[in-house]
């Protein structure tokens, strides 16, 4: 079955960086894009950006431009999201999700989520 | 960027029908997707392309989209349907294509 498995929880200090991994299985990795979505405690879903697993093209949310980098390793079917210069308001659960659809795009399935806590 | 507006909460008795709305400017011209999220779990797709259901999603879940409002309808509501529900569109003409509504908490009375 199609599955995305993410790396474990992280605790970081303000100003540090975090890199979250998302390992895909059950489908041809390069045939779909991956989006990253985060959810602050008690809040809604926030789209962070996407990466094409086919050619590595990316599109980042403007508010994260300059701090986020999304990459893929096709040899291991793994996507990565790195966020730098962490602040307390980056504390959130970070999800990866496979992009599906052509004209429109939806997300299915999602990874289990990775809690990133930013605290001094 | 495109804005989607959902009511913060909807309450319904078991066995009744719940309707969760998602408002946006001329949203009827876009494809709307819906996710269910239970506490401590990742979101799960329940409706895509306005009204299609992924395999494994009960027929009780349906969707519609017209004008400025898309609607997720849950018929014969069960206690297990209590969750947060999010609508989503992909605004390909925008530099911020991935857009979610603020979410609606469905409470089963």
């Amino acid at each position: 079955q199609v599955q995305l498995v993410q790396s474990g929880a992280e605790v970081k200090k303000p100003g540090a960086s975090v890199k979250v991994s998302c390992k895909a299985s059950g489908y041809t990795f390069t045939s779909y894009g991956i989006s990253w979505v985060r959810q602050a405690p008690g809040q809604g879903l926030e789209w962070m950006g996407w990466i094409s697993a086919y050619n590595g093209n990316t599109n980042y949310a403007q508010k994260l431009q300059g701090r986020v980098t999304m990459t893929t390793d096709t040899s291991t079917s793994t996507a990565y999201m790195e966020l730098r210069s962490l602040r307390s308001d980056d504390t959130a659960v970070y999800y990866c999700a496979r992009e599906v659809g052509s004209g429109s795009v939806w997300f299915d399935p999602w990874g289990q989520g990775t809690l990133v806590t930013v605290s001094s | 960027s495109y804005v989607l507006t959902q009511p913060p909460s909807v309450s319904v008795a078991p066995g009744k029908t719940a309707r969760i709305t998602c408002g946006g400017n001329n949203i009827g011209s876009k494809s709307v997707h819906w996710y269910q999220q239970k506490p401590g779990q990742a979101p799960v797709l329940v409706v895509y392309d306005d009204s299609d259901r992924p395999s494994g999603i009960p027929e009780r879940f349906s969707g519609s989209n017209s004008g400025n409002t898309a609607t997720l309808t849950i018929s014969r509501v069960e206690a297990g349907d209590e969750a947060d529900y999010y609508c989503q569109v992909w605004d390909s003409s925008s530099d911020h294509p991935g857009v979610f509504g603020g979410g609606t908490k469905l409470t089963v009375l």
Side-chain angles (χ1 to χ4, degrees):
Chain A
Q1 76 282 21
V2 177
Q3 196 173 10
L4 300 175
V5 178
Q6 299 183 220
S7 49
E10 304 261 14
V11 179
K12 297 292 183 180
K13 294 191 182 302
S17 299
V18 68
K19 192 170 186 177
V20 179
S21 68
C22 169
K23 184 172 177 57
S25 61
Y27 71 97
T28 301
F29 182 67
T30 52
S31 294
Y32 297 84
I34 294 284
S35 267
W36 289 87
V37 177
R38 70 180 180 178
Q39 185 172 37
Q43 302 301 308
L45 302 173
E46 178 187 11
W47 181 81
M48 300 176 64
W50 70 269
I51 182 167
S52 166
Y54 173 70
N55 58 18
N57 286 349
T58 56
N59 184 357
Y60 304 139
Q62 189 170 13
K63 69 177 288 188
L64 297 173
Q65 289 272 3
R67 291 206 298 137
V68 67
T69 301
M70 297 175 187
T71 57
T72 60
D73 181 344
T74 57
S75 70
T76 61
S77 298
T78 303
Y80 299 91
M81 186 283 300
E82 181 181 30
L83 189 61
R84 300 176 293 279
S85 302
L86 289 168
R87 310 187 291 245
S88 57
D89 62 357
D90 292 317
T91 294
V93 176
Y94 289 76
Y95 296 100
C96 61
R98 187 182 69 161
E99 298 180 350
V100 186
S102 52
S104 182
V105 170
W106 59 92
F107 309 120
D108 182 48
W110 297 55
Q112 83 276 19
T114 297
L115 175 62
V116 175
T117 303
V118 183
S119 174
S120 55
Chain B
S1 60
Y2 194 74
V3 175
L4 296 174
T5 302
Q6 297 182 237
S9 63
V10 168
S11 299
V12 64
K16 300 299 185 182
T17 298
R19 294 179 179 84
I20 298 172
T21 59
C22 177
N25 185 32
N26 197 25
I27 196 174
S29 66
K30 302 181 183 300
S31 291
V32 179
H33 321 296
W34 292 90
Y35 304 88
Q36 176 193 69
Q37 186 181 34
K38 295 182 178 180
Q41 297 184 18
V44 173
L45 180 73
V46 293
V47 167
Y48 66 97
D49 273 352
D50 296 338
S51 59
D52 290 334
R53 275 186 316 277
S55 60
I57 300 301
E59 291 183 8
R60 301 185 297 105
F61 288 81
S62 62
S64 62
N65 184 19
S66 179
N68 292 317
T69 305
T71 304
L72 174 69
T73 301
I74 309 172
S75 304
R76 302 181 299 284
V77 167
E78 304 173 356
D81 298 331
E82 186 163 288
D84 293 326
Y85 291 84
Y86 294 89
C87 58
Q88 176 251 320
V89 300
W90 188 261
D91 188 12
S92 55
S93 64
S94 166
D95 60 357
H96 188 110
V99 182
F100 289 96
T104 298
K105 168 68 176 178
L106 176 67
T107 299
V108 180
L109 300 171

